[in-house]
Amino acid sequence: MLIENYLDMTAANAILEYLNKQNRPYSGTDIFSNLHQKYGKTSVVRSCEELAKEGNIIEKIYGKQKVYCCDQKKLPNVDENELKEMDEKIKQLDEKLKTSRDHCREKERVLSGLNSSISTKDAKDKIAEITQKIKSGSEKLEKLKSAGNHVTEKEKEVIYKTHSENMKHWRKRKRMTTDIIDAILEGYPKNKKTLHEEIGIETDEECNVQLPPR
């Protein structure tokens, strides 16, 4: 019995301190949960009822539920200046919290970027690979520069001239072939594609070949 009374007294002190600090109404179940279930639910409910009977807290009944809150008349008076100081402190803390959150988000963004970026080892491997490619390309370039079989300007001129003449012959023959096919088609009962198949002609377009621009 003594232990039970001691537990109830301890719970009552905790409940009174909690309600005075929060300064808002709670049911017995809410108080039990908000005190992290440190005290038994029966002990919390009994202590609330006793505190209300003694006039230490206010009890209000809403239907079948009892709600408890502190007696604001017993709370210490706070002057206007102190309230203004508290409001200013709350404002400063809110701003500090906002700054901290922004700073935290920025850190998270940087961390996310680091996690998605290439690792130091992969970067070193990539640099080594590119360096090797550059070295290989440089060696090939030097070999080409030192080779003695360069095409002379005169040889280039002959190549370009030959190429130009071949293109002229190609265009001329294509034009002649097109004219002949068109003449045949005037008396041919089927379409051009069938005619091409019968005489075995493959057009440049079918072979995906285009004449270079003039």
Side-chain angles (χ1 to χ4, degrees), residues 4-20:
E4 185 176 339
N5 290 336
Y6 172 76
L7 292 176
D8 285 350
M9 186 180 300
T10 304
N13 291 335
I15 292 168
L16 182 60
E17 182 181 353
Y18 176 75
L19 290 177
N20 287 337

Side-chain angles (χ1 to χ4, degrees), residues 185 188-201:
L185 284 171
Y188 186 71
K190 299 178 182 179
N191 58 33
K192 182 187 290 187
K193 183 177 181 181
T194 303
L195 177 60
H196 286 177
E197 292 175 351
E198 287 184 356
I199 61 180
I201 292 179

Side-chain angles (χ1 to χ4, degrees), residues 12-61:
N13 291 335
I15 292 168
L16 182 60
E17 182 181 353
Y18 176 75
L19 290 177
N20 287 337
K21 183 178 180 181
Q22 297 299 321
N23 193 19
R24 55 174 295 185
Y26 292 100
S27 68
T29 302
D30 290 336
I31 296 172
F32 168 69
S33 299
N34 295 344
L35 292 178
H36 310 292
Q37 302 180 10
K38 184 176 179 180
Y39 309 98
K41 187 173 182 180
T42 302
S43 178
V44 169
V45 172
R46 185 166 53 233
S47 297
C48 287
E49 291 176 348
E50 288 298 325
L51 287 170
K53 287 179 182 179
E54 294 171 0
N56 292 316
I57 61 175
I58 303 298
E59 178 186 86
K60 293 186 179 181
I61 300 176

Side-chain angles (χ1 to χ4, degrees), residues 40-92:
K41 187 173 182 180
T42 302
S43 178
V44 169
V45 172
R46 185 166 53 233
S47 297
C48 287
E49 291 176 348
E50 288 298 325
L51 287 170
K53 287 179 182 179
E54 294 171 0
N56 292 316
I57 61 175
I58 303 298
E59 178 186 86
K60 293 186 179 181
I61 300 176
Y62 296 95
K64 295 182 179 181
Q65 187 178 36
K66 293 181 179 180
V67 175
Y68 302 94
C69 61
C70 67
D71 187 352
Q72 295 185 346
K73 294 179 181 178
K74 295 183 178 181
L75 295 177
N77 294 325
V78 181
D79 61 28
E80 193 67 25
N81 291 331
E82 188 174 353
L83 287 174
K84 288 182 180 179
E85 289 178 3
M86 292 175 66
D87 289 338
E88 183 62 28
K89 187 174 182 180
I90 291 172
K91 182 180 178 182
Q92 292 174 0

